[in-house]
């Protein structure tokens, strides 16, 4: 349990004490960075997005109303920034060869120390996740790694809990299908 | 219907998929670079200067001494508030000052742990070992030193500084990986001593097993077996 809550810290930022944002950065930077990395597949771009997020948080601290957790609010802003960035760079239009390379780079980046044969299934799962459309990667990543319940997942993804549940079900069904397909062909990882 | 995603039987009904997700969740995630921290802290300092935040205005953002100066200012203010308490909200102000001090000290420590000079890194590791309470960032930085530092004495000091944290499952796993990966007897001695001093029974048993499996330097196997015998394990 944290001595001072995230919500109290952002309130102090809103009161003019920007240094409290440094503590929030230390608490959440890794999760935020990995989320952005999953969607952009680019380390430098992900760091730029996290930096931009904290600048936004600094400017918008006073607009935090506490209707959701600070974490859900921060991920919601980062999500919007990332999707804007992806739209601008039109990543979806890159050719499939480049896509495969990026996907492999992402898997390599995260699994450099997980090359034991017993962990091959994890790599296949990561690869399957990287092959899904961005919106499905988004809901799975947030739902599995960051937000334990549909209420907070909904707050982060700007929809109702029921919609979050439906999206999660659809995305996991798609993931399961890709995962099974990948498991049928020999892996060269 | 439960609101918890984990409890959604339709999605995670079978134990195999549950286990797989659990493994993925605990798998190592990518670390952002140290430059990201510097860039964000620089942004915060710059904002503080522009907006007239009292403590950042006192400090030149580019000076390497700013962290120490900030800590001294916070301590002086904290002392002043203690001696002459204002009528209202003293607890809240003190909590904020204490938190700022902790944050500044931690950032300073982490930056020293990645210093170019081995002696500076060693000093930072020793400082970290004296902290009563460390958060996950410092523990992670220590593990990083333990795993990757070029200098064996820094590696062994970082291992020793981990203390009771080796009993956390993710740390103990990494410690045993280090044991297998390090041929240096100095580093292995540090790992073994750490486990003997702070490890729970399961860790001790695991160490004994690894020693008999040949994962420990031959000159240290006798030391492990003798100590385990004395501990009746």
């Amino acid at each position: 349990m944290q001595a001072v809550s995230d919500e109290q810290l952002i309130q102090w930022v809103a009161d003019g004490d920007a240094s409290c944002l440094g503590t929030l950065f230390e608490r959440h930077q890794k999760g935020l960075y990995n989320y952005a990395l999953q969607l952009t597949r680019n380390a430098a771009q992900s760091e730029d997005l996290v930096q931009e997020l904290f600048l936004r948080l600094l400017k918008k601290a006073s607009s935090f109303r506490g209707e959701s957790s600070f974490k859900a609010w921060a991920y919601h802003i980062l999500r919007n920034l990332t999707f804007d960035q992806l739209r601008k760079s039109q990543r979806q239009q890159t050719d499939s060869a480049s896509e495969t390379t990026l996907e492999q780079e992402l898997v390599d980046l995260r699994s450099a120390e997980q090359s034991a044969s017993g962990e091959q299934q994890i790599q296949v799962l990561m690869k399957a996740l990287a092959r899904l459309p961005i919106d499905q990667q988004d809901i799975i990543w947030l739902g599995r790694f960051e937000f334990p319940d549909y209420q907070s997942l909904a707050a982060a993804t700007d929809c109702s809990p029921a919609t979050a549940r439906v999206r999660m079900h659809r995305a996991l069904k798609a993931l399961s299908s890709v995962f099974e397909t990948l498991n049928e062909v020999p892996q060269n990882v | 219907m439960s609101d918890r995603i984990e409890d959604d039987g339709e999605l995670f009904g079978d134990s195999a998929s549950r286990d797989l997700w659990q493994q993925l969740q605990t798998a190592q995630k990518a670390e952002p670079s140290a430059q990201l921290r510097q860039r964000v802290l620089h942004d915060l300092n710059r904002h503080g200067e522009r907006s007239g935040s009292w403590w950042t205005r006192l400090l030149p953002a580019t000076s390497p001494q700013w962290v120490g100066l900030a800590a001294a200012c916070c301590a002086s203010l904290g002392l002043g508030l203690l001696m002459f308490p204002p009528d209202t909200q003293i607890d809240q102000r003190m909590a904020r000052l204490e938190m700022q001090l902790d944050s500044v000290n931690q950032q300073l420590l982490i930056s020293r742990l990645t210093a170019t000079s081995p002696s500076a890194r060693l000093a930072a590791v020793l400082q970290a070992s004296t902290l009563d309470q460390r958060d996950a960032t410092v523990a992670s930085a220590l593990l990083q030193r333990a795993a990757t530092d070029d200098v064996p004495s820094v590696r062994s000091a970082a291992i020793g500084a981990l203390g009771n944290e080796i009993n956390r499952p993710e740390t103990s796993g990494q410690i045993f990986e280090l044991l297998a990966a390090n041929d240096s007897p100095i580093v292995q001695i540090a790992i073994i001593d750490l486990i003997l001093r702070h490890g729970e029974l399961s860790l001790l048993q695991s160490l004994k097993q690894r020693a008999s499996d040949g994962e420990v330097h031959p000159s240290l196997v006798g030391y492990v077996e003798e100590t385990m015998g004395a501990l009746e394990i």
Side-chain angles (χ1 to χ4, degrees):
Chain A
M1 190 183 221
Q2 308 281 7
V4 182
S5 71
D6 289 349
E7 289 70 30
Q8 178 65 72
L9 286 169
I10 196 67
Q11 183 58 52
W12 286 340
V13 175
D15 292 344
D17 191 347
S19 66
C20 294
L21 205 54
T23 306
L24 289 168
F25 171 77
E26 295 299 342
R27 286 183 187 176
H28 297 288
Q29 56 152 334
K30 193 171 176 182
L32 290 163
Y33 169 75
N34 274 276
Y35 169 61
L37 184 62
Q38 178 65 35
L39 300 186
T40 64
R41 304 174 192 184
N42 180 309
Q45 205 172 34
S46 303
E47 292 197 349
D48 288 346
L49 284 164
V50 173
Q51 184 183 10
E52 176 63 24
L53 166 69
F54 277 86
L55 277 174
R56 295 280 176 102
L57 292 175
L58 198 55
K59 290 173 187 162
K60 297 172 88 170
S62 57
S63 67
F64 177 69
R65 299 272 172 260
E67 289 156 359
S68 62
S69 66
F70 163 79
K71 185 177 172 182
W73 186 58
Y75 273 86
H76 177 57
I77 297 172
L78 179 61
R79 183 174 182 269
N80 288 342
L81 285 170
T82 308
F83 276 63
D84 284 348
Q85 179 70 42
L86 289 174
R87 269 192 289 273
K88 279 180 199 160
S89 58
Q90 294 180 316
R91 190 179 64 82
Q92 303 283 18
Q93 289 179 9
T94 54
D95 62 275
S96 58
S98 163
E99 187 80 357
T100 306
T101 308
L102 287 168
E103 175 191 299
Q104 189 56 50
E105 280 175 2
L106 179 67
V107 172
D108 289 346
L109 194 59
R110 290 211 168 107
S111 60
E113 296 180 21
Q114 300 165 14
S115 55
S117 58
E119 299 188 1
Q120 192 172 341
Q121 285 295 84
I122 295 177
Q123 293 193 27
V124 176
L125 183 59
M126 288 163 72
K127 195 175 263 192
L129 183 60
R131 286 195 180 178
L132 292 180
I134 289 296
D135 58 332
Q136 293 188 335
Q137 290 182 46
D138 172 51
I139 198 93
I140 291 175
W141 190 269
L142 293 178
R144 289 305 303 159
F145 301 130
E146 299 299 339
F147 298 101
D149 56 75
Y150 287 113
Q151 188 74 38
S152 53
L153 178 61
T157 54
D158 199 20
C159 63
S160 69
T163 306
R165 188 186 292 268
V166 170
R167 285 183 185 167
M168 188 73 174
H169 277 237
R170 282 186 188 150
L172 282 170
K173 198 173 173 188
L175 178 67
S176 172
S177 169
V178 178
F179 182 68
E180 281 170 19
T181 309
L182 285 175
N183 259 330
E184 282 164 11
V185 294
Q187 297 299 310
N188 58 351
V189 287
Chain B
M1 196 184 294
S2 168
D3 189 48
R4 282 186 59 81
I5 298 170
E6 186 74 21
D7 299 337
D8 198 332
E10 199 179 327
L11 296 180
F12 305 105
D14 67 296
S15 61
S17 67
R18 245 178 221 277
D19 289 349
L20 191 57
W21 278 108
Q22 190 61 41
Q23 285 176 46
L24 187 56
Q25 198 151 10
T26 53
Q28 273 202 331
K29 294 204 166 69
E31 287 285 347
S33 72
Q35 283 77 29
L36 176 62
R37 175 182 284 110
Q38 288 170 4
R39 282 158 54 188
V40 171
L41 293 180
H42 178 72
D43 286 345
L44 297 183
N45 284 335
R46 215 172 44 183
H47 176 86
E49 284 168 358
R50 275 207 307 269
S51 66
S53 169
W54 62 268
W55 75 285
T56 47
R57 259 190 299 143
L58 291 172
L59 310 165
T62 53
S63 162
Q65 278 79 38
W66 73 270
V67 177
L69 191 53
C73 287
C74 288
S76 307
L77 278 165
L79 192 62
L81 283 169
L82 270 177
M83 292 172 69
F84 308 105
D87 292 337
T88 57
Q89 300 197 332
I90 178 74
D91 290 343
Q92 199 179 34
R93 285 190 191 183
M94 283 306 296
R96 193 187 308 195
L97 284 167
E98 281 170 8
M99 195 207 60
Q100 284 173 346
L101 264 178
D102 289 345
S103 173
V104 165
N105 281 331
Q106 183 182 306
Q107 285 157 24
L108 180 63
L109 182 62
I110 288 169
S111 98
R112 282 182 179 162
L113 280 170
T114 54
T116 318
S117 154
S119 60
R121 294 200 301 276
L122 186 59
V125 168
L126 295 175
Q127 187 192 344
S129 68
T130 63
L131 296 178
D132 291 334
Q133 289 187 324
R134 286 179 298 213
D135 74 358
T137 317
V138 175
S140 165
L142 282 173
L143 259 177
Q144 183 77 6
R145 282 301 102 214
T148 61
D149 204 286
D150 296 334
V151 183
S153 60
V154 178
R155 284 211 303 277
S156 55
I159 290 163
L162 285 167
N164 285 328
E165 276 158 42
I166 54 158
N167 293 311
R168 291 166 52 200
E170 60 273 25
T171 312
S172 61
Q174 285 175 283
I175 279 291
F176 280 123
E177 280 174 25
L178 281 178
L179 183 69
N182 268 289
D183 294 333
S184 160
I186 293 174
V187 177
Q188 285 209 349
I189 285 174
I191 295 172
I192 291 166
D193 276 345
L194 177 71
I195 295 170
L196 292 175
R197 278 186 200 149
H198 300 283
E200 291 171 351
L201 182 60
S202 59
L203 284 189
L204 293 169
Q205 287 169 335
S206 185
L207 173 62
K208 187 180 177 186
Q209 182 62 44
R210 281 160 196 266
S212 58
D213 289 348
E215 285 186 28
V216 172
H217 194 277
S219 63
L220 300 175
V221 172
Y223 171 60
V224 173
E225 286 175 350
E226 194 178 311
T227 315
M228 292 294 173
L231 292 171
E232 297 180 354
I233 290 169

